[in-house]
């Protein structure tokens, strides 16, 4: 059985985002780490109380992202992730944006996290961070090198905020290659954070791969039932925040409404 299904016991995996405020080493960090910890703990507890299946910790506030995190960012991400892990019984994942596989996997190993999100696993893309090449080979080797094989890899395919360098590569091809290269699950997204993932794209990927398919953007209270009729899970962030502003704290009523609508 795929480890994803073992972790989530064959249920729909709603993964709530713990979006971190800017960390040391990023352009917008204001010097107040206590504020970073406080919001992360708040969002962790609210998401768990609301009924999500797992959490994902991401250095969201570190925009604009580089190809790799600085030492300061990576250290802070691990420190906050450890605190999140201490404050929840849920599975925890790590996203070292934009796609720093070493920081993500090392952080997961150090904190006992269960999975990582790797945004550029098998595609070659262009974005604000420059040209990013696939990290699948290096990521699997590094995971083995630090004895972190227990950490699952959730791999984006043709990820949001990027453009494929070779435009005619079908998303099914990307998904199939990701599975063949060791992804435990693939993530399908819309064009940007908060933008709905086209349901037909989700269905096409689900019909053509053997691994779990996760929706990576745009899931909300109104569309969750339709989306989860096809996908195995969803990563949900901005639609659960106060005023739907991604940098705001998570709103308990929105989490409960989302999970209620999923179960209807």
């Amino acid at each position: 059985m795929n480890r994803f299904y073992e972790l989530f016991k064959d249920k729909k995996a709603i993964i709530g985002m713990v979006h971190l405020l800017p960390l040391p080493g990023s352009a917008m960090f204001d010097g107040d780490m206590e504020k970073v910890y406080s919001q992360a703990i708040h969002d962790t507890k609210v998401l768990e109380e609301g009924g999500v299946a797992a959490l994902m910790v991401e250095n969201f506030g570190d925009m604009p992202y580089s190809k790799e995190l600085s030492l300061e960012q990576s250290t802070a991400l691990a420190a906050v992730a450890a605190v999140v892990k201490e404050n929840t019984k849920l599975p925890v994942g790590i996203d070292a944006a934009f796609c720093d596989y070493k920081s993500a996997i090392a952080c997961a190993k150090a904190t006992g996290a269960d999975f990582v999100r790797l945004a550029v696993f098998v595609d070659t893309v262009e974005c604000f961070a420059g040209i990013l090449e696939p990290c699948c080979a290096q990521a699997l080797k590094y995971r083995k090198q630090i004895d972190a094989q227990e950490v699952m890899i959730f791999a984006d395919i043709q990820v949001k905020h990027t453009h494929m360098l070779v435009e005619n590569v079908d998303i099914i091809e990307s998904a199939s290659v990701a599975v063949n290269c060791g992804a435990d699950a693939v993530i399908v997204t819309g064009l940007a954070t908060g933008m709905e993932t086209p349901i037909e794209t989700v269905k096409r990927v689900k019909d053509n791969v053997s691994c779990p398919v996760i929706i990576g953007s745009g899931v909300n209270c109104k569309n969750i039932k339709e989306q989860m009729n096809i996908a195995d899970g969803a990563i949900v962030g901005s639609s659960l925040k106060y005023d739907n502003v991604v940098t705001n704290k998570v709103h308990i009523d929105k989490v409960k409404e989302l999970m209620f609508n999923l179960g209807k």
Side-chain angles (χ1 to χ4, degrees):
M1 178 184 290
N2 184 287
R3 292 190 294 169
F4 177 96
Y5 297 122
E6 291 179 356
L7 181 64
F8 296 110
K9 298 177 174 57
D10 295 322
K11 297 180 180 179
K12 299 295 184 179
I14 304 304
I15 303 170
M17 288 300 305
V18 179
H19 288 128
L20 302 187
L21 296 174
L23 301 176
S26 66
M28 300 301 293
F29 180 60
D30 65 2
D32 189 353
M33 273 302 296
E34 287 305 314
K35 186 167 63 175
V36 178
Y37 284 115
S38 176
Q39 182 158 320
I41 293 169
H42 169 274
D43 289 353
T44 294
K45 292 182 175 179
V46 169
L47 287 165
E48 182 167 8
E49 179 184 347
V52 303
L55 307 173
M56 186 180 296
V57 183
E58 179 189 48
N59 59 318
F60 183 86
D62 287 350
M63 276 284 288
Y65 307 123
S66 301
K67 293 181 181 180
E68 298 178 354
L69 275 63
S70 68
L71 175 61
E72 296 82 2
Q73 290 170 297
S74 184
T75 302
L77 175 61
V80 182
V83 171
V84 168
K85 186 74 175 173
E86 289 175 358
N87 279 274
T88 185
K89 296 179 181 179
L90 298 177
V92 173
I94 306 294
D95 182 0
F98 195 69
C99 186
D100 186 339
Y101 72 88
K102 277 192 172 182
S103 288
I105 295 171
C107 179
K109 179 65 177 180
T111 60
D114 302 276
F115 58 91
V116 295
R117 179 179 188 174
L118 300 183
V120 186
F121 193 62
V122 295
D123 301 307
T124 302
V125 301
E126 180 275 332
C127 66
F128 55 84
I131 295 175
L132 279 70
E133 297 181 345
C135 71
C136 55
Q138 297 93 329
L140 265 64
K141 290 176 183 177
Y142 182 69
R143 185 175 64 170
K144 183 176 180 60
Q145 177 185 335
I146 66 169
D147 195 22
Q149 290 95 322
E150 74 279 4
V151 177
M152 288 188 288
I153 293 174
F154 297 173
D156 282 272
I157 48 174
Q158 303 193 11
V159 66
K160 60 187 177 181
H161 301 295
T162 70
H163 302 279
M164 294 285 289
L165 250 60
V166 181
E167 295 182 358
N168 63 350
V169 177
D170 190 85
I171 196 167
I172 302 304
E173 180 178 347
S174 292
S176 298
V177 173
V179 174
N180 291 335
C181 289
D184 295 284
V186 295
I187 303 171
V188 185
T189 67
L191 295 176
T193 298
M195 291 187 65
E196 185 169 333
T197 304
I199 194 70
E200 285 304 315
T201 303
V202 180
K203 189 176 188 305
R204 285 186 65 223
V205 174
K206 182 63 180 173
D207 287 344
N208 285 278
V209 297
S210 57
C211 77
V213 175
I214 302 169
I215 295 174
S217 70
V219 171
N220 55 50
C221 294
K222 295 180 180 179
N223 66 16
I224 188 169
K225 190 72 173 181
E226 178 189 23
Q227 300 266 18
M228 290 302 101
N229 280 338
I230 299 172
D232 299 283
I235 300 168
V236 191
S238 54
S239 69
L240 302 180
K241 302 297 187 72
Y242 279 87
D243 301 320
N244 294 334
V245 176
V246 68
T247 53
N248 286 349
K249 293 181 178 180
V250 174
H251 195 307
I252 184 61
D253 292 344
K254 291 192 172 188
V255 183
K256 289 183 176 181
E257 182 182 3
L258 182 88
M259 299 309 297
F260 175 79
N261 288 348
L262 172 64
K264 285 198 302 184

